[in-house]
């Protein structure tokens, strides 16, 4: 499955850049479990545009269809703010896809 191509079909280029950053942050800061909550610092002047992009990612639905089977999933399960940082959690399906990427932390 070419996840990058599927994601690019449903979100803007700016949202892709943010998603790549969030996934990379999870890869370097996560203990190998990508289903947990992650915290990402955001500069005060970038909160509004960042949250608009996070909302775009949160609302995106990815559909993988191959007759007669299909899979529909979202990228983010939840997001918010904690201690001045963006708090985010990937859905289990997307977290599994991240864990399968080359360079992902091995347990």
């Amino acid at each position: 499955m070419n996840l990058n191509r599927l994601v690019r079909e449903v979100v803007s280029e700016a949202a892709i850049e943010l998603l790549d950053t969030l996934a990379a942050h999870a890869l370097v800061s996560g203990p190998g479990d990508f289903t947990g909550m992650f915290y990402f610092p955001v500069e005060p002047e970038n909160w509004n545009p960042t949250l608009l992009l996070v909302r775009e990612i949160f609302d995106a639905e990815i559909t993988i269809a191959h007759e007669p089977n299909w899979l529909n999933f979202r990228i983010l399960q939840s997001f918010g703010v904690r201690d001045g940082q963006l708090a985010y959690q990937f859905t289990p399906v997307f977290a599994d896809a991240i864990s399968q990427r080359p360079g992902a932390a091995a347990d």
Side-chain angles (χ1 to χ4, degrees):
M1 153 172 79
N2 187 344
L3 191 58
N4 288 338
R5 179 184 53 79
L6 295 169
V7 172
R8 287 183 188 282
E9 291 176 1
V10 296
V11 296
S12 68
E13 195 61 37
I16 291 289
E17 288 180 28
L18 178 60
L19 180 57
D20 284 346
T21 300
L22 296 177
H25 179 73
L27 286 170
V28 298
S29 66
D33 176 15
F34 301 105
T35 60
M37 190 68 73
F38 295 94
Y39 304 95
F40 186 75
V42 176
E43 297 165 347
E45 64 273 10
N46 291 328
W47 271 108
N48 286 340
T50 299
L51 287 182
L52 288 174
L53 293 173
V54 169
R55 185 64 184 186
E56 180 183 344
I57 295 166
F58 182 78
D59 289 340
E61 291 185 17
I62 311 298
T63 301
I64 302 169
H66 183 73
E67 294 298 328
N69 303 314
W70 58 273
L71 171 66
N72 187 294
F73 67 93
R74 292 186 181 267
I75 299 168
L76 290 178
Q77 182 164 303
S78 60
F79 70 94
V81 177
R82 185 181 114 186
D83 298 329
Q85 296 185 336
L86 173 64
Y88 62 99
Q89 182 179 26
F90 295 115
T91 62
V93 171
F94 194 76
D96 184 54
I98 290 173
S99 70
Q100 303 303 316
R101 291 179 67 176
D107 286 337

